[in-house]
Amino acid sequence: MASINLGWKALLTCAIASTASAIAVPRYATVVSRQTADATTYDFVIAGGGIAGLTVADRLTENANVKVLVIESGSLDKGEDGVDIPGDYNELPFTYLYNSYGVPQKALLNKEFLAPMGHVVGGGSTVNGMVWLRAGKEEYDVRVSLGATGWAWNDLLPYFRKSENFTAPNAAYAKKANISFTDSVHGHAGPVQLSYPNFYFPGAGNWYQGAVQTGLTPWKDINDGGNVGTGWQPSSIDSTTRMRSDARDAYYDGVKSRTNYHLLTDNTVSKIIFSGTKATGVQYLPTAGGSKLTATASKEVLIAAGGVHTPQILQLSGVGPKSVLTKLGITVVADLPGVGANFQDHPTFTIPYTFSNNDVPNTGTLDTNATYNSQQQALYNSKRQGAYVLPRGISVNSAMIPLCNLTTTANCQQIVSKAKGASPTAYLPVGTDSTVAAGYQAQRTALLNEIGSYSHPSALITWGTGNAVSMFLMAPLSRGTITINSTDANANPVIDWNSMVDPTDFDVMAEAFLKNRAIMTSPAMKPLGATEAAPFDGSVTDRAKIKAALAQVATPSQAHQCCTAAMMPQNKGGVVDPNMKVYGFDNLRVIDISVYSTIPAAPPQAIVYGAAEKIADTIKKLYSL
C-alpha cells in the first residue's frame, strides 16, 4: 500500500483574544445500547455521526417531543492531545480514520492511495486541519443552475452564521499579522468556535508578501463570498482554550439531559428498510462484526455517512445503478444510476524544497529541536500561546487563485478553449450511464465558463514554513465512482477517483506550479534560499516535464470526498431534489456533502455545517416542530 502523502494534511484542512468572548451554547444527548436502539421507535434515524448527522440531530431534538437516533460506525474519541491540541495534530487522528484505499490511479503512475475519512463521532471535523472556508458566491450560482434551487449563497449565509461563534482577533495584532476580516459576515452565537491563531512563524509573513509581489490581491475576508486572492484563513479553534472545536463539541458533547437525542456508536448501518417506497428504518450491526438489529423511524431516514459511505448504504439498500445491484443479487428498490457516480475530491500536490536560510523557528523546528518543542508545549499549557496554537504543519495563510491569475489571460483562454473543444464525456468512467453523462456535460459547460473567469479559484497554494509547498486543484474536471462489490456493509466499497484523467486538470496544475515558483522566488522569499527538490528542478520550464513531475508527487484525495448523490434533475444523473429527498421516496433524504453537484473550492466542513443547519430548519418547518 502507498504511504500517506503529507499534502492531504495541509487542509484536512488563534490571534490574541479580543474583549468579545465566545458564547457558551449548551448541548444535550444520550449514548444508548444496541438493544435500546432496537427497542425504541424514533421519529428520525440518522446514518452517520459526522458534521451533518450531529448538526441535524441536535436541531431536531430541540423539540423535546422529537426522538432522534444517530448511528455512527466509529467510536467517541477519548479527548487525546492529538485530537484536541492543534500543535499535536497528526500525532493521533490516524487512529480515527477508515483504513480504506482506492484502486490504482492510471493518471498517477498506477499508484494506490489512502482515502482519508473520519471514522469517529464528529467525522471529519474531529480529524481535519481545522481550516474554515465557505467557498465563493459564484460556485453556489453554478449549482443552482444545475438544479440546486434554494441553495444560493444568500440562501445559505444565515445558516453559515448560525453555525459559528466567531471571535475577532485583537486589532493591533491583526494589523501586524496582515489578518483581514469582516465581522458582519460572521455569526457570534453559534456552537462552532471560530478564530484566528495568536501566533505565526515568521516565514508566513515572507510568503504572504511574496504572494502579493506576484500580483495576488489580499482578500477582505475569505468567507465573505469572494474567495479569490491571498491572506489568512480562520480555524475551528476556540479562542479561549485554543483547542479544536468539532461537531462533537458543538452539537453533542457535555450535556446528557436531552434524553430524546440518542447516539449509538461502533455500529454500521447495513441497509435502509423499506415498505414499498417508504423508508421505515435501518438495519445495523457492530462495526467489528456481529448480529443485525433494526432501528425504526416513524417520520424519516436521513443518510449522512459522507461521500464514500452514503452511496454505499444506498446501494446496499437497493437504491442505485441497477447493473451494480443485480450483479450482487440485491433487490432493486430504485434504479438511480447517479448513486456513487460523479465522485470528486481535491487532488493534492506536495512540492519538496530545501532551504539555505529558512526563517527559524518554523514548523519543522518542532520536529528537529526537542528543546524548542518542549518550550512551546509548556507555553501552550500555561498561557495558550506559541506554536502549539497552530495545527501542526498547516499554514496560517494561503492563496486561492483563478486560472487567469495563474497565467496570462491569453494562455488561460487557450486552456479553456482547448477543454471546450474536447469531447465532454471522453474521460468519464467506462460504462457511465447516459443520464449521468448528460449531467456531467452540464457541469462541465458551467465549470469551464467559471474557470475562464477571474472569480472562481482553480488552485489553492499554501506553504506551512517547512520543507514543502502544498497545491490543490480546486475545480477538477475528472470524475470517479464509488461502487459496492460486496453485500457486507463493513467491507470497503470500490473507491476510484479516476483522478487527473482529464488533461485540463494537469494543464491547470502546471500553471499553478509556475505561479508557486514565482512566489517562492519572489523578493520577499529570496532571502530564505528556497530550492526545489527532486523530482523538480528550478531550470525545468517545459510544461510537459512539469506535468510528469507533478504526477509523481500527487495524491487524489484531500479527504474532501463528495458529490456522489448529486442534487440535480434525475434525468441528469441526479439523486436528490432541492429538499435533499432521494428521488422516488417521500421520507428518505441524503443530508451530507454527497448532494453537491460540483466540489466546493474549499475544505467542506464550514459548508456542511451551514447546509445541515438549513436542512434541519426545512425538516422542522415541514413537521411543525
Side-chain angles (χ1 to χ4, degrees):
M1 293 289 183
S3 61
I4 300 170
N5 189 300
L6 291 176
W8 78 267
K9 299 179 184 177
L11 281 179
L12 248 171
T13 357
C14 275
I16 296 173
S18 71
T19 55
S21 60
I23 299 170
V25 181
R27 291 291 175 267
Y28 308 89
T30 300
V31 176
V32 297
S33 68
R34 300 181 71 240
Q35 291 72 27
T36 297
D38 180 64
T40 304
T41 296
Y42 296 93
D43 294 289
F44 300 91
V45 173
I46 301 176
I51 293 173
L54 295 184
T55 300
V56 172
D58 184 350
R59 294 308 188 189
L60 293 179
T61 54
E62 288 174 336
N63 185 321
N65 296 317
V66 175
K67 290 184 179 179
V68 176
L69 171 67
V70 177
I71 303 176
E72 166 55 40
S73 179
S75 62
L76 288 158
D77 73 82
K78 299 176 179 61
E80 299 93 341
D81 287 351
V83 170
D84 288 338
I85 298 175
D88 277 323
Y89 173 59
N90 287 333
E91 293 300 312
L92 187 77
F94 294 103
T95 304
Y96 298 118
L97 293 180
Y98 281 94
N99 184 30
S100 300
Y101 282 78
V103 301
Q105 296 300 289
K106 58 188 176 184
L108 303 180
L109 308 181
N110 283 316
K111 291 188 290 186
E112 293 183 358
F113 297 90
L114 178 75
M117 298 172 285
H119 193 207
V120 61
V121 174
S125 71
T126 303
V127 296
N128 66 17
M130 294 160 266
V131 176
W132 189 269
L133 304 178
R134 297 172 178 168
K137 292 179 182 178
E138 288 77 8
E139 297 177 46
Y140 293 91
D141 292 340
V142 166
R143 293 183 203 106
V144 170
S145 74
L146 294 170
T149 305
W151 293 88
W153 171 268
N154 288 337
D155 298 316
L156 278 160
L157 183 57
Y159 296 102
F160 290 147
R161 289 190 180 117
K162 184 178 182 180
S163 70
E164 69 182 35
N165 189 350
F166 175 68
T167 300
N170 172 277
Y173 178 80
K175 182 177 181 181
K176 174 187 174 184
N178 294 306
I179 300 173
S180 177
F181 63 93
T182 303
D183 196 65
S184 61
V185 304
H186 292 288
H188 299 88
V192 184
Q193 304 301 310
L194 184 63
S195 66
Y196 289 94
N198 60 0
F199 174 88
Y200 63 96
F201 291 111
N206 294 73
W207 187 89
Y208 170 79
Q209 294 298 335
V212 173
Q213 287 168 353
T214 65
L216 299 182
T217 302
W219 51 59
K220 294 179 180 179
D221 188 310
I222 185 62
N223 288 311
D224 66 3
N227 64 330
V228 168
T230 188
W232 284 51
Q233 67 264 335
S235 301
S236 50
I237 295 176
D238 189 301
S239 66
T240 301
T241 65
R242 299 293 174 186
M243 297 172 72
R244 178 192 295 271
S245 178
D246 64 3
R248 174 181 170 178
D249 296 325
Y251 291 95
Y252 165 77
D253 226 8
V255 277
K256 306 295 181 183
S257 62
R258 195 185 287 181
T259 56
N260 58 325
Y261 178 176
H262 287 185
L263 172 66
L264 175 62
T265 66
D266 300 297
N267 276 261
T268 298
V269 170
S270 58
K271 71 175 181 178
I272 304 158
I273 305 299
F274 293 104
S275 176
T277 56
K278 180 181 179 180
T280 60
V282 302
Q283 189 179 79
Y284 58 92
L285 74 163
T287 302
S291 61
K292 295 176 181 177
L293 295 175
T294 299
T296 302
S298 63
K299 288 185 171 65
E300 295 193 16
V301 171
L302 310 174
I303 310 300
V308 170
H309 295 104
T310 283
Q312 180 185 27
I313 291 171
L314 290 172
Q315 291 174 13
L316 288 169
S317 307
V319 180
K322 182 178 180 179
S323 58
V324 172
L325 307 182
T326 54
K327 188 181 298 184
L328 293 171
I330 297 172
T331 300
V332 178
V333 180
D335 180 14
L336 290 176
V339 173
N342 197 45
F343 180 38
Q344 298 164 58
D345 206 326
H346 288 138
T348 304
F349 303 81
T350 303
I351 314 302
Y353 277 88
T354 60
F355 290 85
S356 61
N357 191 37
N358 197 1
D359 280 326
V360 177
N362 56 63
T363 189
T365 311
L366 294 168
D367 300 318
T368 61
N369 187 323
T371 300
Y372 177 75
N373 183 59
S374 296
Q375 290 171 344
Q376 293 304 303
Q377 281 183 313
L379 182 60
Y380 176 87
N381 290 336
S382 62
K383 297 183 178 180
R384 291 303 193 250
Q385 296 175 0
Y388 268 67
V389 307
L390 300 177
R392 186 174 293 209
I394 295 180
S395 177
V396 296
N397 47 26
S398 60
M400 298 282 280
I401 314 174
L403 176 60
C404 290
N405 289 136
L406 291 173
T407 185
T408 64
T409 300
N411 191 38
C412 169
Q413 296 305 326
Q414 184 178 8
I415 291 171
V416 172
S417 178
K418 175 185 171 186
K420 287 182 176 180
S423 168
T425 59
Y427 304 103
L428 291 179
V430 174
T432 295
D433 182 82
S434 60
T435 61
V436 174
Y440 174 71
Q441 290 184 58
Q443 289 181 31
R444 185 183 176 91
T445 297
L447 279 174
L448 286 173
N449 288 336
E450 287 296 307
I451 291 170
S453 73
Y454 288 87
S455 59
H456 191 296
S458 291
L460 185 155
I461 302 176
T462 183
W463 177 55
T465 73
N467 291 330
V469 165
S470 294
M471 307 192 313
F472 311 92
L473 177 62
M474 303 309 286
L477 293 180
S478 301
R479 298 290 184 268
T481 54
I482 301 295
T483 311
I484 58 171
N485 63 352
S486 167
T487 57
D488 180 1
N490 284 325
N492 292 326
V494 178
I495 302 170
D496 186 0
W497 290 276
N498 203 32
S499 185
M500 302 297 293
V501 297
D502 190 309
T504 306
D505 290 344
F506 268 117
D507 288 342
V508 170
M509 292 314 296
E511 302 308 320
F513 175 83
L514 292 171
K515 186 66 173 182
N516 167 68
R517 177 177 283 173
I519 294 172
M520 297 300 284
T521 57
S522 64
M525 287 294 293
K526 196 163 293 243
L528 279 59
T531 301
E532 294 164 13
F536 300 95
D537 183 318
S539 65
V540 175
T541 58
D542 178 81
R543 284 172 170 79
K545 292 181 180 178
I546 289 172
K547 292 174 188 177
L550 286 171
Q552 296 181 54
V553 300
T555 181
S557 181
Q558 182 56 23
H560 300 164
Q561 304 92 357
C562 84
C563 310
T564 47
M567 187 183 291
M568 296 180 69
Q570 188 174 353
N571 64 3
K572 295 292 178 64
V575 176
V576 302
D577 68 16
N579 288 314
M580 295 186 172
K581 287 186 177 181
V582 178
Y583 288 119
F585 303 90
D586 288 331
N587 70 331
L588 174 64
R589 299 184 205 247
V590 173
I591 60 171
D592 61 22
I593 194 66
S594 306
V595 304
Y596 276 67
S597 56
T598 59
I599 190 168
Q605 71 162 341
I607 297 163
V608 176
Y609 278 119
E613 289 277 16
K614 184 177 186 297
I615 196 61
D617 222 18
T618 298
I619 294 170
K620 290 171 79 171
K621 289 176 182 176
L622 176 65
Y623 293 99
S624 301
L625 302 179

